[in-house]
Amino acid sequence: PTTGPTVTPTPTMGPPPAVIINEIDADTVGTDADEFIELYDGGVGNTDLSGTVVVLYNGSSDTSYDAIDLDGFSTNMSGYFVIGSASVPNVDLAAFTTNGLQNGADAVAFYQGNDTDFPSGTAVTATNLIDAIVYDTNDSDDTGLLSVLLNPGEPQVNEAANGTADVESIGRCPNGSGGAMNTTAYTTGNPSPGADNDCTSGPTPTP
């Protein structure tokens, strides 16, 4: 009998790691040479990040402009993993030089997958999404990113809420709180890559 082509089953992904985006700094002094993204596993430590990817979205088109593959990496003993410029304290993966993170309205998203799943210009998606933040520096809300990447009603976070975006970051307060795809816990504060977030400032106002 005639048989059709053999179909290779799509591999089933295991459960995602219990890791969230904990802090980002997209706007820094001068040429933005100290930008970073911090992941956090809640303090468990040494969590394998293989099979995950951080994707950066451009709010002007709601499509990707960079994808950072995390195969072979893990969080440190304290539970942190920092992606950023080489000059950033405690950086684990030097993925940027200058202006690696756009200032907003844009997004950082964390997925199960690989960088090859997100070639430049990939439309924003919630498929295999683990966590995300949509942020800005005094920009209008990007409803296209918010509706796909965050839970309903969660706000876009303004790094410039205090008027000092170039010397502050946005991070979850209390450290590691709020849950995946939720942004209400984010506040502005002093950058603290690879360490507990600075929670001395008040909550970032919803634009």
Side-chain angles (χ1 to χ4, degrees):
T2 303
T3 59
T6 301
V7 177
T8 302
T10 301
T12 301
M13 290 187 176
V19 175
I20 56 173
I21 300 166
N22 195 47
E23 183 183 6
I24 70 167
D25 194 354
D27 189 8
T28 67
V29 175
T31 57
D32 287 349
D34 294 308
E35 302 166 317
F36 68 89
I37 302 162
E38 178 190 87
L39 305 179
Y40 184 53
D41 67 8
V44 174
N46 301 312
T47 298
D48 186 11
L49 298 173
S50 295
T52 65
V53 57
V54 168
V55 179
L56 310 182
Y57 285 108
N58 184 341
S60 65
S61 60
D62 295 347
T63 60
S64 65
Y65 65 91
D66 197 6
I68 303 163
D69 197 283
L70 300 183
D71 283 351
F73 292 101
S74 62
T75 60
N76 66 15
M77 291 181 63
S78 298
Y80 295 102
F81 185 81
V82 178
I83 303 163
S85 304
S87 57
V88 171
N90 301 317
V91 69
D92 298 291
L93 175 57
F96 310 140
T97 52
T98 59
N99 297 306
L101 281 176
Q102 296 181 170
N103 289 350
D106 299 299
V108 175
F110 180 48
Y111 292 91
Q112 285 185 283
N114 298 289
D115 57 348
T116 53
D117 299 325
F118 297 91
S120 184
T122 299
V124 62
T125 179
T127 302
N128 297 320
L129 180 64
I130 300 171
D131 191 21
I133 178 172
V134 182
Y135 65 92
D136 67 89
T137 48
N138 289 329
D139 300 287
S140 300
D141 281 2
D142 188 315
T143 55
L145 294 176
L146 290 166
S147 63
V148 175
L149 295 175
L150 301 184
N151 289 323
E154 294 297 314
Q156 184 168 300
V157 185
N158 185 6
E159 188 175 341
N162 296 330
T164 51
D166 57 352
V167 295
E168 290 189 309
S169 65
I170 45 179
R172 295 175 181 269
C173 286
N175 189 62
S177 66
M181 292 169 281
N182 296 327
T183 52
T184 51
Y186 277 91
T187 69
T188 54
N190 295 316
S192 55
D196 287 0
N197 291 341
D198 171 26
C199 294
T200 58
S201 303
T204 301
T206 303

